Amino acid sequence: MRRHLFTSESVTEGHPDKMADQISDAILDAIYEKDPNGRVACETVVTTGIAFVAGEITTSCYIEIPQIVRETIRNIGYVEPEHGFAYRTCGVATAIQAQSPDIALGVDRGGAGDQGMMFGYATNETPEFMPLPIMLAHHLSKRLAEVRKQRLVDYLRPDGKTQVTVEYHDGHAARLEAVVVSAHHKAGVSLAKIRSDMKRLVMEPVVPKHWLDRRTKVFVNPTGRFEVGGPMGDTGLTGRKIIMDTYGGIIGHGGGAFSGKDPTKVDRSAAYMARYVAKNLVAAGVAEKCEIQLAYAIGVAEPVSIMVNTHGTGRLSDQSLVKLIRELFDLTPAGIIRTLKLRRPIYLKTAAYGHFGRDGNGFTWEELDRVDEIKRAARHH
């Protein structure tokens, strides 16, 4: 039997990098509420006492960026100066310009807003068609935030990180090797109390018992203390959590971030489309795992390449699946935006706990509405 370990991490919405992602996407949503044709490429930096927003925005509407920044920080939970960062007292600076006219030339005629390659993936190892390590890590992070927001304990602060290591046997998840929870907390709370509470309130409700055994290692605040967190502990930057935003590192990544980018940027929209295609293929039973790469040239509508890798689990050859994808899916930027209804203010909720494996209104790339069509087409390949 072949055994291997694989680890993925997640962070809470109060992690400084995720704060930056949420601010960038909150600005995108505010523009899309008024101007669905706005062009947005918005980056945020957060550090002690200041949030700085920069980027290229071309829009017919006006939005009050400092107000949006402060409201986003408030909703995340940085409300008191003692947190080291607070929405009322932090500085907000902006440096915004219009989209480059050279880029606009290609986008205006329906071409891709940049070159690059994007990956999508699906696997049948979880109900969400996502890899187990990243899904469990996200569930732990989300639960850690819920415990804070519901005040089940009174000492948690918004920052936090989780990590899950899964042991695979012959490519199938078998058990958990390690679980890590790092919880941002106020001063003066004993480590013993934090460890006991986090196991009881965060881990036990989230991690199914059948994945655990006596060899599973559990780490809570392994340095012993996590009092300084958020932007006071680390500078946060949009687009620095691209692996936890996607599949936890289990497949390739083109390097492009999502948050703060409108869907003419294929970094975002083509990655969503690749997930949509891969998930529907796996749900249709043509493969147990499916990795898709799409690549684009700036100003050109059709992808310059499509790659499919079913990691040996496909009922059809990978080449046949490429043909099937080309027949069934419009992979031009305009086609992707139309198929997934992307010109809407749906992006802030994607900016924490991953863009994939999610449910709820707006996550159109998670819908399984092409399964029957794929099954019919597969019979002819």
Side-chain angles (χ1 to χ4, degrees), residues 58-233:
T58 302
T59 177
S60 61
C61 71
Y62 174 78
I63 58 163
E64 185 63 40
I65 288 178
Q67 183 183 335
I68 293 163
V69 171
R70 293 186 195 282
E71 183 70 9
T72 306
I73 294 166
R74 183 178 75 84
N75 290 337
I76 289 168
Y78 287 100
V79 293
E80 303 297 339
E82 67 190 40
H83 294 163
F85 197 87
Y87 78 99
R88 281 195 200 93
T89 55
C90 71
V92 179
T94 61
I96 303 294
Q97 58 193 358
Q99 183 179 64
S100 152
D102 297 349
I103 294 173
L105 273 176
V107 177
D108 290 344
R109 60 173 185 252
D114 203 355
Q115 70 174 46
M117 64 280 190
M118 301 81 212
F119 287 85
Y121 183 69
T123 171
N124 62 7
E125 73 181 55
T126 63
E128 300 91 353
F129 292 89
M130 287 287 286
L132 182 65
I134 189 67
M135 281 317 294
L136 279 180
H138 283 324
H139 289 329
L140 286 165
S141 288
K142 203 178 267 189
R143 177 63 185 167
L144 180 58
E146 282 170 6
V147 169
R148 169 178 63 87
K149 289 173 179 177
Q150 293 172 11
R151 298 192 67 77
L152 301 182
V153 296
D154 62 1
Y155 54 77
L156 286 178
R157 288 185 173 161
D159 202 351
K161 300 181 85 166
T162 64
Q163 189 170 283
V164 173
T165 302
V166 175
E167 182 176 310
Y168 284 85
H169 296 170
D170 291 331
H172 297 282
R175 56 178 292 275
L176 296 192
E177 170 69 14
V179 180
V180 184
V181 174
S182 294
H184 183 198
H185 61 89
K186 71 181 184 184
V189 186
S190 77
L191 184 59
K193 175 168 177 53
I194 293 169
R195 286 181 171 163
S196 167
D197 287 345
M198 293 305 100
K199 286 176 185 174
R200 177 174 57 87
L201 295 171
V202 177
M203 292 186 188
E204 286 178 13
V206 166
V207 181
K209 284 191 170 58
H210 67 267
W211 293 118
L212 304 170
D213 60 29
R214 55 190 173 75
R215 292 183 296 128
T216 303
K217 303 175 190 75
V218 173
F219 302 96
V220 176
N221 288 16
T223 69
R225 195 169 66 213
F226 188 0
E227 292 173 10
V228 178
M232 193 174 178

Side-chain angles (χ1 to χ4, degrees), residues 359-378:
D359 54 17
N361 183 37
F363 292 93
T364 48
W365 49 93
E366 294 297 316
E367 289 175 7
L368 293 174
D369 54 358
R370 305 295 288 275
V371 171
D372 291 340
E373 202 178 339
I374 290 168
K375 284 179 178 174
R376 282 195 301 273

Side-chain angles (χ1 to χ4, degrees), residues 317-348:
S317 73
D318 293 347
Q319 292 86 343
S320 294
L321 289 177
V322 170
K323 284 184 192 162
L324 186 147
I325 290 166
R326 284 193 183 276
E327 286 168 19
L328 296 185
F329 295 93
D330 184 345
L331 300 175
T332 64
I336 293 169
I337 289 168
R338 191 169 52 249
T339 299
L340 299 180
K341 306 179 184 73
L342 295 179
R343 288 199 188 277
R344 298 183 294 156
I346 56 174
Y347 295 103
L348 175 57

